[in-house]
Amino acid sequence: MTRTLIASLAVLMAGVLAFAGLTRGFTVLTAESARRQAVAAAPIPIPELIGIDQRGTRRRVFESAERRVVIVDFIYTRCTSLCSALGSSYQRLQSAIEAQHLEHAVRLVTVSFDPAHDTQEVIHEYGRSLGAKPNIWTILQPLDPEALRRSLKVFGVVATPAPQGQFAHNAAFHVIDRRGRLARIIDISKPDAALSAARRLYGGS
Amino acid sequence: MNASRDRVVPAAVTLLAAASSLPPLSTLLMRFMLTQMLVQIPLIFLAAASLSVHIRLPTETRWMQWNAQGAPGLLFSAIVLAFWMTPIALDGAAADSLWETGKIASVLAAGSSAGISWRLGSGVAHAFYVGNMVWMTVTAGMLYQESTERLCNAYLWNDQAITGQALVGVSIVLAVTWVLEFAGRNVRQSSRTGGDAQGADSPPA
């Protein structure tokens, strides 16, 4: 009986350790939250992603010469749910950046992960309808699908094709610090937190 | 008749489990949360369990001292299955082949351990194991059903909700089946002992 008790305790301890490892010490239950924690603890360099913005100009997601902090999101323009909410949040963020005179410090970037549909005309129209000001808010059609794929992987964005030209995808505010590293991933329900994080990252480096 | 059925069923389950662990079938099953959780994992588990009930370990008596009533073995099996019910582990298996290999190996071990330990356990050990499994599966199912967010980046929200309902359904079926089987066995046992006491010719009351 003692041996069985020892064996049971050993199994239980191994199980607790396995669960603790899996859930980062019982703090996360999803891959998404695990990722957010990991990024905040150790920012990761992002790969270069070049695209054409709503004015038809070549732009990068992170422009190293500007050294502005960037808040990035990934969308597709046909989206009727998550991306519309993100669009509204970005409008509010743009207003806040103007009101707080943060144009020199924080930039907004929206990247389409459906560049086949989101062509120059579509991106232009999308930017116009949302009132995106190109000096603050860049909307990008990525040029190289392979570079886009690499970026999505690093940013942890999964976009799964769904029926009727839709995608199921996760979304968040990805904040890139002045050294071009993904430093924070913030829930889409908290645009104010994204701006505060961006301000802190600008001030802190 | 029964003897040949005893061999045919485990053989069929084993073949299906082997196929579901290897491409192309594994790729197909891993595309959906429903098929990963309710087809692939159960098949692998059942194959290992049904094969291991036939294994007679030569040193079984010595092993029994470490596994009295099958307690640590059943505990191990329950912990492994609980591990592969969490969204973060399912996402890991869907995204990374190393995780997937680990999943198959651990579920095989959990199934074998359950098959061997079930035989050693009494009704109390069985009730504890089945009760624990049902409670765990219902909890996971409710989590997946109720969540308004996508918990796995690899799977769609619809898939998640349906998987949640199916998990709850399967656990109810599992619980009812076990209770009926347990009750049936007890009735048979008590009528046999009753029959011995009253004589073989006495009609049942």
Side-chain angles (χ1 to χ4, degrees):
Chain A
M1 206 60 203
T2 319
R3 288 177 184 178
T4 295
L5 198 65
I6 292 169
S8 300
L9 282 173
V11 167
L12 198 63
M13 273 178 65
V16 169
L17 285 177
F19 267 91
L22 179 74
T23 58
R24 295 181 156 255
F26 301 100
T27 58
V28 296
L29 199 57
T30 65
E32 184 72 19
S33 32
R35 212 187 131 59
R36 289 178 187 187
Q37 267 195 11
V39 162
I44 40 177
I46 57 159
E48 185 176 73
L49 184 62
I50 305 173
I52 306 289
D53 75 359
Q54 66 266 43
R55 289 178 304 185
T57 317
R58 266 173 78 101
R59 302 281 319 244
R60 287 178 175 80
V61 167
F62 177 72
E63 298 281 5
S64 50
E66 291 181 356
R67 294 183 54 88
R68 280 195 279 182
V69 173
V70 188
I71 305 177
V72 188
D73 71 342
F74 292 84
I75 57 115
Y76 66 110
T77 61
R78 278 183 288 180
C79 180
T80 49
S81 53
L82 213 52
C83 310
S84 319
L86 271 171
S88 312
S89 295
Y90 265 56
Q91 285 175 320
R92 278 178 46 202
L93 282 172
Q94 179 173 256
S95 306
I97 289 170
E98 281 184 309
Q100 297 171 36
H101 307 294
L102 291 170
E103 294 90 339
H104 65 286
V106 184
R107 184 176 157 230
L108 303 174
V109 176
T110 292
V111 180
S112 164
F113 55 71
D114 185 19
H117 176 270
D118 294 337
T119 56
Q120 263 314 288
E121 296 74 41
V122 177
I123 291 286
H124 175 77
E125 183 49 34
Y126 184 76
R128 197 195 58 74
S129 69
L130 290 176
K133 298 181 178 165
N135 63 322
I136 302 175
W137 184 1
T138 308
I139 301 169
L140 274 190
Q141 176 202 20
L143 287 173
D144 176 11
E146 185 50 34
L148 171 65
R149 201 190 55 76
R150 273 200 305 274
S151 282
L152 290 175
K153 194 167 166 58
V154 169
F155 281 93
V157 175
V158 181
T160 318
Q164 289 157 4
Q166 298 287 303
F167 286 87
H169 64 109
N170 55 338
F173 298 111
H174 302 88
V175 189
I176 300 170
D177 67 12
R178 297 175 75 188
R179 290 156 67 184
R181 299 176 309 171
L182 175 60
R184 293 281 184 284
I185 304 176
I186 291 165
D187 200 82
I188 55 163
S189 62
K190 295 174 184 158
D192 299 338
L195 190 56
S196 308
R199 288 184 70 148
R200 273 198 305 277
L201 286 169
Y202 183 80
S205 54
Chain B
M1 180 70 186
N2 267 350
S4 71
R5 201 181 60 187
D6 283 351
R7 274 197 296 273
V8 169
V9 174
V13 173
T14 306
L15 273 177
L16 281 172
S20 72
S21 314
L22 300 165
L25 190 58
S26 66
T27 318
L28 190 70
L29 294 175
M30 291 298 288
R31 275 181 59 195
F32 304 97
M33 192 176 180
L34 182 73
T35 44
Q36 177 179 188
M37 288 193 87
L38 282 140
V39 179
Q40 194 206 35
I41 293 176
L43 271 177
I44 297 169
F45 181 86
L46 286 175
S50 62
L51 288 179
S52 65
V53 282
H54 298 291
I55 298 171
R56 296 271 164 210
L57 293 173
T59 51
E60 195 164 281
T61 45
R62 200 184 303 163
W63 275 103
M64 272 176 68
Q65 295 174 347
W66 290 95
N67 195 18
Q69 291 287 318
L74 292 175
L75 184 65
F76 168 74
S77 159
I79 288 173
V80 170
L81 290 178
F83 187 95
W84 294 111
M85 283 186 201
T86 57
I88 188 169
L90 292 170
D91 240 352
D96 188 336
S97 57
L98 205 64
W99 273 75
E100 173 62 358
T101 312
K103 182 188 81 183
I104 293 169
S106 61
V107 173
L108 276 175
S112 317
S113 170
I116 293 167
S117 305
W118 184 267
R119 215 168 50 219
L120 307 174
S122 65
V124 178
H126 293 172
F128 178 77
Y129 180 69
V130 173
N132 194 30
M133 291 303 307
V134 167
W135 173 78
M136 254 166 28
T137 316
V138 167
T139 309
M142 281 168 59
L143 169 75
Y144 289 130
Q145 246 184 94
E146 293 285 311
S147 176
T148 50
E149 276 175 48
R150 222 155 52 110
L151 297 174
C152 292
N153 286 340
Y155 298 115
L156 303 183
W157 180 83
N158 268 356
D159 185 10
Q160 172 181 303
I162 295 169
T163 306
Q165 289 168 358
L167 284 171
V168 173
V170 163
S171 14
I172 293 169
V173 170
L174 185 71
V176 171
T177 311
W178 181 75
V179 168
L180 289 178
E181 203 268 337
F182 183 74
R185 193 149 25 92
N186 275 353
V187 167
R188 280 197 302 276
Q189 225 162 39
S190 63
S191 70
R192 247 203 320 274
T193 40
D196 287 347
Q198 292 170 21
D201 292 336
S202 311

